[in-house]
Amino acid sequence: MVTPVGWPRPASIRDLAGRPWVASPDDTACGRALLRICADNGFTARRDHTCREFPTVLAMVAAGAGAAVVPTLALGSTPPAPVAVPAVPVVGHRRITALFRRSGPDPVASAVVQALRESADQAGLIPVRVP
């Protein structure tokens, strides 16, 4: 979850109940997460803007347009725009599974799995498990 830098730091998600949101469409992971967050905390988000692309969402949040739910990986090591990441509880997670045939050495599949491992490690996420 991210908020504009100039907003007061929320002590809980409920502190954002009356604020505007830059929401993702309901059929996306972030859109579903926002719906779940609101239901769990007894409010309906004031969706002033709807946007699918994370760089645009982050730019709108940085401009003060509202709070947003974005995946940790969208922030990278340095967000493209200055946003605040309040210390509210984790609002969800995503499991990424890579399936591929082991009919022989496949350098592309190995490179993708290695990239997933490295990204998870850099973000402090649970590492990729390969049977």
Side-chain angles (χ1 to χ4, degrees), residues 73-107:
L73 292 175
L75 297 175
S77 60
T78 305
V83 297
V85 182
V88 294
V90 174
V91 296
H93 65 278
R94 172 182 270 175
R95 179 180 297 205
I96 299 174
T97 304
L99 298 172
F100 57 95
R101 295 179 194 257
R102 288 200 174 196
S103 58
D106 184 347

Side-chain angles (χ1 to χ4, degrees), residues 1-43:
M1 179 157 323
V2 293
T3 61
V5 171
W7 283 14
R9 288 236 182 233
S12 76
I13 292 170
R14 286 186 185 97
D15 292 343
L16 299 173
R19 296 286 194 157
W21 288 82
V22 179
S24 296
D26 289 347
D27 65 341
T28 65
C30 290
R32 288 187 298 274
L34 180 57
L35 291 172
R36 186 180 65 251
I37 291 163
C38 291
D40 290 349
N41 290 279
F43 71 93

Side-chain angles (χ1 to χ4, degrees), residues 38-68:
C38 291
D40 290 349
N41 290 279
F43 71 93
T44 301
R46 193 179 105 201
R47 296 168 169 243
D48 284 10
H49 307 279
T50 301
C51 185
R52 188 175 299 269
E53 301 296 325
F54 298 129
T56 305
V57 169
L58 292 170
M60 292 180 75
V61 171

